[in-house]
Amino acid sequence: MTDKLILITLLVKLGVMASVASVLARGKTFRRLFFAEQRRPSQTIGLLAFFLVPLTLGVWVRTTVPNFLAADISFETIILLGLLVGPLWAMLGGIVLALPALHHAEYLALPFNAVLGLLAGVLGRFVEPDEIWSFTPFIDLSLYRWVRRVLRTPRIDRQFLMLFLIVAAEACRDWLAHLFPNRLFALLATEPWVQVLVWFSAPIVVGIAIKVWNALRMEMKLEEQKRLLLEARLDALQRQINPHFLFNTLNSIASLVRVKPELAREMTVKLANILRALLKDHDTYVPLSDELSFTDDYLDIEVVRFGAEKLRVEKEIDPRTLSAMVPSILLQPLIENSIKHGLEPRLNGGTVTLRSRLDGNRVLIEVADDGVGMVNRPPSALNRNGAGIGMKNVQERLEVLYGTQASFTVVSNPGRGTLVTIEIPAHLQDAT
């Protein structure tokens, strides 16, 4: 084996490890198993299969294809398994990776791989996970700064310890391969400087895989944080309740207790239903029939408060839309806005109309009133901010849940009323 072939092999190994790490990172199952906080034994075996199937094939290729030595990255793989999975699993992986080498009469491969897996696993238990994920063979760009820091606060630099032990393990493999020719695979150079490059190539190859997976790990963490932020934001929007509505309803109940106790009891039950729906950990989506049931309780209370002669409710609901999944507590803020800003200022009240229909694979929901409309509000402001906090919250929830797949439009004519139209994808309950 010439030194020139060894140098070419070292360069190709870097590319092979980068390719293998990138290909594995694309698999959803690999990501789920690899980054799981806890794994069952069956899941760990599944994870090992992602490593061992292609890389054991690489060892076999190395033993059968002349001068294609870079296909064998079993040494670095065992170290990765020990650091990231555990000692016993790294030993098992090392034994499997040694099988093609045993068939090629490299009898030291099995015991060496098993011991290497054990040592790498022990090192992985000694080093903190964050130190493993931040591992790099380039410990510090300034050796002077590193020495000064260690002398000032003496401690074990685990990054340097990992680098040293990987290099020492590679040097030990080369020494054993020199003592027992053809019984253990290693890259043995004639020039000392080339052999030093062989030793230091191992931590570089390990570092490449860790950097690829750590970038994926950070991306997944950012996505998880974004998801949690959106859920928190959505939950805050869902849990908003107008305190004026609560106080006014309680006052109405108090005034009815003696005069109309049965009606007061009915209002209390409906208020309890509303509070239960607002405060419980409900699903993000509910069938439209459930959403309409919630709004019925709200409207029944408002009708009692304002009087049936001042607040009238009409519904034009397409039965096919009742099973459509819609965001929970979607309509109540819009109805509240219609009553408070549209009908309440009118002396003779008015009508709130709820409509729904299917339009292809879309569900259209409308909340209309014949109130005073939005006075002194330019059309451009309607699209941007809606009409008050209720509409703005509904817009934000639709943006969070559907993005550009949902539309929210407001049309208002002063003195004639306001129409709010929501258009969302039609996800029917039976289809889900």
Side-chain angles (χ1 to χ4, degrees):
M1 186 186 307
T2 64
D3 289 351
K4 182 178 180 180
L5 177 60
I6 291 176
L7 293 175
I8 294 174
T9 299
L10 295 181
L11 291 176
V12 176
K13 280 180 68 174
L14 300 179
V16 170
M17 178 55 82
S19 300
V20 171
S22 299
V23 170
L24 290 177
R26 293 194 186 101
K28 292 183 179 180
T29 304
F30 173 81
R31 293 199 300 264
R32 177 174 56 82
L33 296 176
F34 189 58
F35 295 106
E37 294 183 0
Q38 293 183 344
R39 306 184 198 94
R40 298 191 301 273
S42 59
Q43 292 176 318
T44 306
I45 292 175
L47 176 61
L48 287 181
F50 279 97
F51 288 95
L52 300 182
V53 171
L55 298 179
T56 303
L57 180 62
V59 178
W60 177 81
V61 169
R62 188 263 303 171
T63 61
T64 56
V65 179
N67 297 331
F68 195 34
L69 307 178
D72 187 345
I73 52 174
S74 57
F75 178 86
E76 294 82 2
T77 301
I78 295 169
I79 291 177
L80 288 169
L81 291 176
L83 293 175
L84 299 173
V85 182
L88 295 180
W89 297 108
M91 292 176 66
L92 176 61
I95 292 172
V96 174
L97 289 170
L99 296 180
L102 288 176
H103 184 70
H104 195 62
E106 296 174 359
Y107 301 119
L108 289 180
L110 192 149
F112 179 83
N113 286 1
V115 173
L116 179 64
L118 176 62
L119 295 178
V122 172
L123 177 62
R125 293 291 185 267
F126 176 73
V127 180
E128 295 294 331
D130 287 342
E131 292 177 315
I132 295 176
W133 287 116
S134 61
F135 171 73
T136 173
F138 307 102
I139 298 299
D140 202 312
L141 295 178
S142 172
L143 183 61
Y144 168 75
R145 273 203 314 271
W146 179 81
V147 173
R148 183 179 177 183
R149 184 175 67 247
V150 173
L151 291 178
R152 182 181 301 172
T153 55
R155 63 184 179 88
I156 298 177
D157 192 316
R158 297 181 182 182
Q159 289 276 313
F160 182 80
L161 178 63
M162 292 171 64
L163 173 63
F164 173 78
L165 292 179
I166 294 174
V167 171
E170 179 63 64
C172 180
R173 179 171 72 151
D174 295 347
W175 175 67
L176 289 174
H178 180 75
L179 287 180
F180 304 96
N182 300 323
R183 295 297 176 260
L184 182 64
F185 170 70
L187 299 176
L188 301 178
T190 56
E191 294 289 340
W193 66 271
V194 177
Q195 195 63 53
V196 171
L197 288 180
V198 171
W199 297 345
F200 280 92
S201 69
I204 294 176
V205 173
V206 170
I208 286 175
I210 290 178
K211 289 302 178 185
V212 171
W213 294 329
N214 189 47
L216 175 63
R217 170 174 165 265
M218 298 306 297
E219 181 181 344
M220 292 175 64
K221 279 192 171 184
L222 288 175
E223 291 178 355
E224 179 67 12
Q225 291 298 321
K226 182 178 179 181
R227 183 186 65 82
L228 293 175
L229 178 62
L230 290 178
E231 287 185 356
R233 179 183 174 194
L234 181 61
D235 187 64
L237 293 173
Q238 288 176 330
R239 293 179 184 273
Q240 289 192 8
I241 178 172
N242 191 332
H244 297 291
F245 165 75
L246 178 60
F247 297 146
N248 292 337
T249 302
L250 291 175
N251 288 333
S252 299
I253 293 173
S255 64
L256 291 172
V257 167
R258 293 190 178 184
V259 181
K260 298 180 180 179
E262 193 62 30
L263 183 57
R265 177 182 176 279
E266 185 179 340
M267 287 186 65
T268 303
V269 172
K270 292 184 182 298
L271 178 61
N273 293 337
I274 291 174
L275 294 177
R276 187 180 300 111
L278 286 170
L279 299 178
K280 75 175 182 179
D281 293 328
H282 43 66
D283 296 330
T284 302
Y285 300 95
V286 297
L288 180 60
S289 57
D290 292 354
E291 181 67 11
L292 291 174
S293 177
F294 171 78
T295 59
D296 285 344
D297 288 333
Y298 175 79
L299 283 169
D300 289 344
I301 291 177
E302 294 290 63
V303 167
V304 173
R305 286 184 55 225
F306 287 95
E309 70 283 353
K310 291 194 63 176
L311 178 56
R312 296 170 295 278
V313 179
E314 294 182 359
K315 295 181 182 179
E316 301 173 11
I317 305 299
D318 185 342
R320 297 177 299 169
T321 64
L322 292 177
S323 62
M325 304 301 291
V326 300
S328 59
I329 315 178
L330 176 70
L331 301 180
Q332 184 270 338
L334 303 179
I335 297 172
E336 180 181 0
N337 189 81
S338 294
I339 296 173
K340 183 176 181 180
H341 299 287
L343 303 182
E344 191 173 343
R346 292 184 60 180
L347 294 177
N348 59 344
T351 303
V352 173
T353 303
L354 301 179
R355 304 187 188 95
S356 71
R357 68 179 186 274
L358 276 179
D359 185 6
N361 60 349
R362 311 278 290 176
V363 175
L364 277 72
I365 302 174
E366 295 180 347
V367 178
D369 66 75
D370 55 0
V372 298
M374 299 178 184
V375 184
N376 298 326
R377 187 182 294 270
S380 60
L382 298 180
N383 296 331
R384 185 173 63 253
N385 297 322
I389 295 176
M391 286 193 179
K392 184 176 182 180
N393 287 348
V394 171
Q395 284 180 288
E396 289 186 2
R397 290 187 63 198
L398 292 174
E399 290 175 2
V400 169
L401 295 173
Y402 297 103
T404 59
Q405 294 183 338
S407 67
F408 181 90
T409 58
V410 180
V411 177
S412 183
N413 296 313
R416 299 180 59 183
T418 302
L419 171 65
V420 178
T421 303
I422 296 174
E423 186 177 346
I424 58 177
H427 299 301
L428 302 182
Q429 191 177 32
D430 292 340
T432 58

